[in-house]
């Protein structure tokens, strides 16, 4: 009698466990194979002129990381307001876009824009003021952040945890897929794109589909305006693929993807 009860209990627990696992898989990425987040850095004119219309043609939404002091932010205020009203995320990419000049290959960084010379308080003030700027454009209190040049520290050390409460997530620059259970929302991995073909970009999405992962693309120039660039044709091929495969791919903003990851990893 006792052993029958034990078998029943084990069977019951196994069934409960299976249904939990099934639920976790079926709710992941809204029941789709992968999530795709398209991010565009540095407030370029081509983002407003090329990317927003291309996304809208397929009813896709992207995340645009603005450095508030950049010309493409300051001179296109009304256009960024319109992009936000369409449902695109305006993300925080600091006021002045400081980068750490002490790292290799950073001779282009001017001394006054050297993140290594910043105190942590200085970068926090800059980031929080950028949130005020962005809120004046989109009226939103919630958004995500992108580390400038991927740099996460001032001369005083890491500021990643200092901004944890101010953003739903922060995007980094390490080129890797984000797999549930292993996603660091303080430094979400993303593929920096420069010169890839449309086929290359689609191949990355297919890998995310195979691994049930979140993939984040990091674009700068799209059809020009930056030395890190993707052609309009390659970018369009990616959007066409995402639109044709909406049944199996969830393309969304970093904000919505990060909120979803928080629920799943809770
Ligand atoms: Zn940048």
């Amino acid at each position: 009698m006792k052993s029958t009860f034990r078998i029943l209990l084990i069977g019951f627990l196994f069934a409960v466990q299976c249904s939990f696992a099934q639920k976790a898989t079926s709710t992941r990425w809204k029941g789709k194979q992968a999530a795709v987040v398209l991010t565009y850095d540095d407030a370029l004119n081509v983002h407003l002129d090329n990317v927003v219309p291309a996304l809208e043609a397929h009813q896709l939404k992207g995340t645009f990381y603005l450095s508030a002091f950049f010309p493409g932010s300051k001179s296109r205020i009304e256009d960024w307001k319109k992009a936000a009203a369409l449902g695109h995320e305006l993300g925080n990419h600091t006021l002045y876009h400081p980068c750490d000049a002490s790292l290799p290959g950073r001779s282009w960084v001017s001394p006054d824009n050297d993140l290594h010379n910043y105190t942590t308080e200085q970068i926090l003030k800059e980031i929080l003021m950028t949130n005020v700027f962005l809120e004046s454009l989109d009226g939103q209190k919630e958004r995500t952040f992108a580390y400038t040049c991927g740099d996460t520290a001032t001369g005083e050390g890491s500021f990643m945890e200092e901004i944890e409460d101010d953003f739903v997530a922060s995007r980094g620059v390490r080129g890797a897929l984000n797999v549930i259970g292993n996603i660091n929302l303080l430094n979400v991995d993303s593929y920096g794109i420069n010169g890839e073909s449309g086929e290359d970009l689609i191949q990355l999405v297919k890998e995310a589909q195979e691994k049930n992962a979140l993939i984040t693309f990091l674009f700068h120039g799209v059809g020009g305006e930056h030395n890190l660039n993707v052609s309009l044709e390659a970018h369009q091929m990616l959007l066409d693929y995402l639109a044709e495969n909406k049944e199996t791919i969830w393309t969304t903003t970093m904000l919505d993807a990060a909120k979803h990851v928080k629920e799943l990893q809770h």
Side-chain angles (χ1 to χ4, degrees):
M1 195 62 188
K2 255 185 184 172
S3 68
T4 312
F5 176 72
R6 203 174 292 153
I7 288 165
L8 281 173
L9 183 67
I10 290 167
F12 173 73
L13 290 175
F14 182 71
V16 167
Q17 209 176 20
C18 284
S19 84
F20 265 126
Q22 220 165 30
K23 195 169 174 230
T25 313
S26 66
T27 56
R28 182 181 303 174
W29 317 133
K30 312 277 181 191
K32 300 182 185 187
Q33 293 169 348
V36 175
V37 171
L38 306 168
T39 70
Y40 303 87
D41 284 23
D42 296 358
L44 304 178
N45 291 291
V46 289
H47 298 162
L48 290 164
D49 300 332
N50 297 342
V51 175
V52 171
L55 290 172
E56 284 302 311
H58 281 316
Q59 298 195 316
L60 298 168
K61 303 299 168 194
T63 293
F64 297 87
Y65 287 111
L66 274 60
S67 297
F69 193 70
F70 278 180
S73 290
K74 292 191 292 183
S75 63
R76 303 291 301 266
I77 296 270
E78 289 309 313
D79 294 317
W80 287 116
K81 281 184 182 174
K82 282 182 199 155
L86 289 169
H88 302 285
E89 181 189 3
L90 305 185
N92 188 318
H93 202 39
T94 76
L95 261 185
Y96 301 116
H97 203 289
C99 291
D100 189 337
S102 71
L103 297 174
R106 294 284 178 77
S107 54
W108 55 272
V109 178
S110 64
D112 66 319
N113 222 29
D114 184 352
L115 189 59
H116 198 72
N117 292 337
Y118 271 51
T119 63
T120 296
E121 195 189 341
Q122 256 179 302
I123 190 64
L124 292 181
K125 280 196 214 165
E126 222 185 81
I127 290 168
L128 294 181
M129 193 57 220
T130 306
N131 267 355
V132 174
F133 168 74
L134 295 172
E135 190 183 338
S136 76
L137 299 182
D138 63 15
Q140 303 295 317
K141 296 265 185 211
E142 269 186 325
R143 67 187 80 251
T144 62
F145 176 78
Y147 298 102
T148 44
C149 302
D151 296 342
T152 57
T154 67
E156 294 183 331
S158 170
F159 61 88
M160 289 165 76
E161 288 179 6
E162 307 284 338
I163 58 171
E164 187 173 5
D165 295 338
D166 297 303
F167 298 101
V168 178
S170 296
R171 197 216 62 207
V173 296
R174 188 179 68 164
L177 294 175
N178 297 280
V179 179
I180 283 294
N182 253 331
I183 300 177
N184 178 8
L185 287 175
L186 287 182
N187 204 354
V188 178
D189 290 332
S190 73
Y191 287 95
I193 299 305
N194 185 25
E196 280 81 352
S197 66
E199 289 86 357
D200 294 336
L201 301 178
I202 290 167
Q203 186 52 40
L204 284 170
V205 176
K206 286 182 176 169
E207 280 166 32
Q209 288 176 268
E210 275 165 31
K211 300 206 166 109
N212 248 208
L214 158 69
I215 180 165
T216 301
F217 287 96
L218 191 186
F219 296 104
H220 288 86
V222 179
E225 208 182 326
H226 201 285
N227 59 344
L228 303 172
N229 187 55
V230 67
S231 71
L232 277 177
E233 296 71 26
H235 182 258
Q236 190 60 49
M237 268 184 76
L238 172 65
L239 298 196
D240 291 343
Y241 179 77
L242 297 176
E244 284 160 15
N245 293 280
K246 278 187 180 174
E247 294 295 312
T248 50
I249 300 167
W250 181 40
T251 303
T252 189
T253 61
M254 182 58 94
L255 179 62
D256 283 350
K259 282 183 180 174
H260 186 72
V261 168
K262 268 196 174 167
E263 281 171 23
L264 291 175
Q265 288 197 158
H266 185 62

